[in-house]
Amino acid sequence: MKYGQSNNFLLVDNAPAMVEACEKRFQADVNVTVRQGNIWEYLPFEQKSSLVLSVLSMQFMPTSYRPWMLKQIYDGLADGVALIFVEKILSENMDDLMVDLYYEMKRENGYTDEQIMSKRRSLENVLSPLKAEWSVDMMRTAGFRQVDMFWRCLNFCGWIAVK
């Protein structure tokens, strides 16, 4: 890691397989701590962070928790640094089309229809995506002064939000 000697990293995931993979990957890195659990168990942060990544995580939390989580993350960041926020979104008027295109992309990458539908069923009533502008509004309400989308692919978006 280029900046590993001067930073500490906390990786939190509630999936045992992801925790195991991270522990294996970073086992020799004394600056990386891997924890199984939910991020809210670690909020507020013990010290100001220079970057927080929230990648495909808040979409699994109840919508009512998200503003509180974003405010906690905002409060835990040092001034002038950022949150990288990636989530599945609801499309304005073409959600069905975006989902169909996403499934087609999965098929092109070797997934069977059975695997695709199995994954879809496993996410029902667990995954709750929002419209892109709702996520932006929540980040701005939390206090982020700059919010900009840096990536979009079908029904997924990534933003950088600067404190």
Side-chain angles (χ1 to χ4, degrees):
M1 276 190 238
K2 184 175 181 180
Y3 299 102
Q5 301 307 317
S6 61
N7 289 292
N8 293 310
F9 301 88
L10 172 63
L11 309 175
V12 181
D13 201 299
N14 63 4
M18 292 298 287
V19 170
E20 184 179 326
C22 286
E23 286 174 337
K24 185 176 179 180
R25 180 171 182 191
F26 296 107
Q27 66 187 357
D29 218 318
V30 295
N31 297 52
V32 176
T33 303
V34 180
R35 296 284 184 254
Q36 182 176 342
N38 294 302
I39 189 65
W40 60 76
E41 297 168 6
Y42 297 91
L43 296 172
F45 297 128
E46 291 179 18
Q47 58 193 55
K48 294 289 185 181
S49 299
S50 56
L51 177 66
V52 171
L53 304 176
S54 177
V55 180
L56 304 174
S57 357
M58 282 201 209
Q59 63 194 17
F60 295 105
M61 294 178 190
T63 306
S64 60
Y65 289 13
R66 296 177 202 181
W68 178 83
M69 290 288 296
L70 287 167
K71 179 65 172 150
Q72 294 296 306
I73 290 169
Y74 174 85
D75 290 344
L77 287 170
D79 289 338
V81 298
L83 161 68
I84 304 293
F85 187 63
V86 178
E87 294 291 300
K88 183 174 185 180
I89 61 158
L90 293 173
S91 184
E92 283 301 313
N93 300 311
M94 296 188 288
D95 203 55
D96 290 339
L97 173 62
M98 292 296 174
V99 170
D100 289 345
L101 290 170
Y102 177 64
Y103 290 163
E104 185 57 35
M105 181 181 73
K106 289 182 84 80
R107 283 183 201 94
E108 289 171 5
N109 284 290
Y111 290 88
T112 66
D113 285 339
E114 182 178 317
Q115 290 171 317
I116 293 168
M117 288 303 112
S118 175
K119 180 70 171 185
R120 181 177 182 151
R121 282 189 299 277
S122 73
L123 294 176
E124 283 180 9
N125 301 317
V126 177
L127 173 69
S128 56
L130 302 175
K131 290 184 177 183
E133 65 267 14
W134 295 354
S135 292
V136 171
D137 288 346
M138 283 192 305
M139 286 182 271
R140 290 195 188 286
T141 299
F144 290 98
R145 60 184 167 85
Q146 292 178 292
V147 178
D148 199 13
M149 186 184 299
F150 67 86
W151 173 78
R152 174 141 189 192
C153 180
L154 301 173
N155 49 349
F156 294 88
C157 287
W159 295 272
I160 184 165
V162 178
K163 180 172 181 179

